Amino acid sequence: MRILLVEDDGDLQRLLKKSLTDAGYVVDTASDGEEGHFLGDTEPYDVVILDLGLPKMDGVRVLEKWRKDGRSMPVLILTARDRWSDKVAGFDAGADDYLAKPFYTEELLARVRALLRRAAGLATSEIEIGPLRIDTRASRVTLDGNPVKLTSLEYRLLSYLAHHRGKVVSRTELVEHLYDQDFDRDSNTIEVFVGRLRKKLDANLIQTVRGLGYCLEDPSVEQGDHAKA
Ligand code: CA
């Protein structure tokens, strides 16, 4: 899952980026409204964390522009302004959630998980797919109740597929959501990581859909024909 963090307070930006990275997300950052708007306009993000008081372009304006252009990613606004009118302006501009500063990082992380869950149509923070169980709070994975040790990239890959379970996810989409903007992207490496994941998990969990991508599904459930779907 890839997150855009738009925050002009350098210390807070560094702190949040570290917390989000430690929690298993890929994070791009912007320090002013124009740069933030550009990134949100050109890169696909799973969640955006947007400060309202920003240089060059106010957060509310950034959000209004995205929504006007049809960008529908979940946006959580951060604001030092605790006035009810600012919250209303934020929601009316298209925000999905807000957090007033100061806040606990744990609460921000919980809200991000909730936004991702909602976008994926999931009811709980534990995702169960056949023998596989993913605890998105602790970034822990078990298979038939046994812990599976994954590298951070393997976990990101699995988590992305799990949030899109039953859907075919292309390699390009995976590359876009698993790496930050500075990474030298090569979609061939995705194949390598999928191969490693398959070795660590039930090999039938991740299906290759020829020419289209990958699909994570409970192998005990009857498989549909994705090429026709
Ligand atoms: Ca600010």
Side-chain angles (χ1 to χ4, degrees), residues 128-133 143-144 165 205 217-221:
E128 239 185 293
I129 302 169
L132 181 71
R133 205 182 175 94
L143 189 71
D144 289 320
R165 64 181 294 182
L205 275 166
E217 237 170 359
D218 181 353
S220 67
V221 173

Side-chain angles (χ1 to χ4, degrees), residues 7-9 51-55 78 80 101:
E7 169 60 65
D8 62 319
D9 179 329
D51 185 27
L52 286 191
L54 290 168
L78 292 181
K101 297 174 185 173

Side-chain angles (χ1 to χ4, degrees), residues 25 106 109-118 136-137:
Y25 302 110
E106 277 309 316
L109 293 174
R111 287 178 183 274
V112 166
R113 285 195 298 272
L115 287 172
L116 290 170
R117 249 189 348 253
R118 224 171 292 153
T136 60
R137 281 166 307 186

